[in-house]
Amino acid sequence: AYEISECLVGSEMCIRDRDSGEEEQAKAYLDDFIQNEFGNKQEVQSGNTAIDSILNYKMLEAEQYSVVFDLDVQIPEQMAVSSQVMSVILGNALDNAIEAARETEERRVSVILQYMKGRLLIQISNPYIGELHLGAAGEYLTGKVEKEDHGFGLKSIRDTVEKAGGVMNIEGKEGMFILTVLLLSLIHI
């Protein structure tokens, strides 16, 4: 069911990126399916359908672990950044944040998305338990037991951000993991 839901949310974002009248029926079907499957708890309504879909879906996932999102979303309805780029960045970052936060007492994830003057700031922070480990190149390494299955999320985010012409910073301080992404030269459509 997890893979089907993830696929449907991704499919909905792709369909919404197109302007074809034929896709209205598919949009309605996916909207109905997602609402029936996950309830009618759409919390984020910035007007940017792709980002709202990702955030709402991840908030529902977080609820399963009693993790609460603190949101500050100030973005336009349309930006010149693909839903695929946003899906990779937000999907991986929020998966990591939820996984770390659910192991803590605080169980909170802070999500900031702010668009200003052609730039999109994304900052996701969460509490964590344990130590953060740095690799030889200064990259953060996974603290997970099954190391061969993990560690691709941050690399995937970094690669996507760089391809999109942005910058990424990671810091860990006082029990908080903070991921900051700045996507540059975005046009408000």
Side-chain angles (χ1 to χ4, degrees), residues 12-19 23 27 50 81-84:
E12 178 186 28
M13 290 183 304
C14 290
I15 288 171
R16 289 180 187 270
D17 278 350
R18 297 187 180 147
D19 293 323
E23 291 155 350
K27 287 181 196 177
V81 60
S82 78
S83 57
Q84 182 180 8

Side-chain angles (χ1 to χ4, degrees), residues 35 40-60 63 69-76 90 94 111 113:
Q35 291 305 316
N40 198 9
K41 294 181 84 175
Q42 191 150 22
E43 301 286 334
V44 181
Q45 295 187 3
S46 71
N48 186 303
T49 307
I51 291 174
D52 290 352
S53 296
I54 296 165
L55 292 175
N56 287 317
Y57 182 72
K58 293 302 178 185
M59 282 182 8
L60 287 170
E63 282 179 13
F69 276 26
D70 294 325
L71 297 165
D72 179 5
V73 180
Q74 299 173 36
I75 56 174
L90 291 175
L94 291 172
V111 179
L113 281 95

